[in-house]
Amino acid sequence: MLPALKPGDRVIAIPYRGEQLQSGAVVVMTHPNQVKLMIKRLSAPCNGGWWVLGDNPASSSDSRQFGPIAATAIRAIATAVVPSKN
Amino acid sequence: MLRSVAQAILNRLPATQAAAHCDGPCGVYDPASARVAAEAVLSMTKKLIALAPPEGNDAAAWATYNNTFSRYVAVKEEQAQETKEELLILWTDYFKPEHLATFPELHDTFWKAAKLCSACKVNIDQAKAEELMKAVEKIHTMFWSSKGRSDAWVTAS
């Protein structure tokens, strides 16, 4: 997610409870094929879900590989970043 | 001051980790890790073929043989699995749909390479291990070509 986020940055995120989402929002989401949380940016609504992309397209694994995500995969919406010390 | 206070508070709060990448950070992909693991598979296969059981009924000699045999098999198993995992990361995370236009055989190559990893686990088969090395070499060539490079295929052994 460089340059917006770098490894070790802390993100303050509010739980997602189904409210209206906007393209450009950074969300914490479950990976469609793996048991892990991911952080990505909403690109555009897609088939009732969202197309998500990383900010660093050359390096990111995102909807270009795993397709659109369901809205239910979204766990939280990032509201602020606390940069890491390094 | 404010920053250190905020940091102190945050350090006390439980935070869940969210990854920006599915595997390595910042797109550091390299088929070399698959190559090293595949080389280990070939090496262990050769060592297993060369390992002769002791003659007679000397318990200590048999214990040594069984121990060495088991270790070789364990390492072969583990390295074949690692080869498969490294290949799957390249296949599913590095290669993107647009690469299929340049490498139409991409899916078939990875699928067959992953099958060879399994074959190397199931058998002690030098031909399969060598075939796996050829498959990893083909993936190496596709990978670097997709980056506009032509890095030479170099093996450790």
Side-chain angles (χ1 to χ4, degrees):
Chain A
M1 282 293 285
L2 286 166
L5 295 173
K6 58 184 186 301
D9 281 356
R10 283 168 184 259
V11 171
I12 297 179
I14 51 168
Y16 175 60
R17 302 198 195 284
E19 53 271 47
Q20 186 83 31
L21 291 167
Q22 296 204 329
S23 298
V26 173
V27 299
V28 177
M29 48 164 272
T30 51
H31 190 288
N33 310 318
Q34 296 178 22
V35 188
K36 72 194 303 184
L37 287 175
M38 304 291 295
I39 190 155
K40 295 287 167 199
R41 195 179 292 278
L42 298 180
S43 173
C46 184
N47 295 335
W50 282 88
W51 192 258
V52 294
L53 295 174
D55 283 1
N56 187 5
S59 306
S60 182
S61 297
D62 44 41
S63 284
R64 292 172 300 165
Q65 282 81 42
F66 50 68
I69 59 156
T72 49
I74 298 171
R75 296 291 184 82
I77 305 156
T79 55
V81 180
V82 183
S84 66
K85 284 181 182 171
N86 300 322
Chain B
M1 177 64 186
L2 183 64
R3 188 187 162 90
S4 57
V5 169
Q7 198 68 49
I9 294 168
L10 283 169
N11 287 345
R12 284 172 170 273
L13 290 173
T16 310
Q17 203 163 52
H21 299 268
C22 305
D23 39 81
C26 299
V28 181
Y29 297 101
D30 193 329
S33 25
R35 189 262 302 158
V36 171
E39 272 197 81
V41 173
L42 177 58
S43 166
M44 297 327 287
T45 304
K46 286 180 181 170
K47 280 174 184 274
L48 279 162
I49 292 168
L51 188 65
E55 288 176 11
N57 291 319
D58 180 36
W62 272 102
T64 303
Y65 169 80
N66 285 332
N67 183 58
T68 305
F69 186 89
S70 307
R71 291 187 67 213
Y72 287 179
V73 170
V75 174
K76 177 172 75 72
E77 184 87 11
E78 171 199 297
Q79 293 297 313
Q81 182 62 27
E82 188 167 327
T83 310
K84 189 189 272 185
E85 283 164 14
E86 292 291 344
L87 291 176
L88 294 186
I89 287 169
L90 290 174
W91 187 10
T92 58
D93 294 341
Y94 170 73
F95 281 104
K96 311 227 177 334
E98 49 267 36
H99 288 129
L100 276 172
T102 324
F103 311 109
E105 76 284 27
L106 187 132
H107 288 332
D108 195 52
T109 304
F110 272 102
W111 183 57
K112 285 180 176 157
K115 289 274 182 203
L116 281 168
C117 295
S118 304
C120 289
K121 285 206 275 186
V122 173
N123 309 291
I124 301 175
D125 187 333
Q126 189 172 331
K128 292 281 182 207
E130 281 165 357
E131 220 180 307
L132 174 62
M133 283 296 287
K134 288 268 176 237
V136 175
E137 182 178 357
K138 189 174 176 187
I139 288 163
H140 159 99
T141 306
M142 285 196 299
F143 176 87
W144 289 115
S145 152
S146 77
K147 287 177 168 278
R149 287 166 52 168
S150 55
D151 292 39
W153 169 253
V154 181
T155 57
S157 50

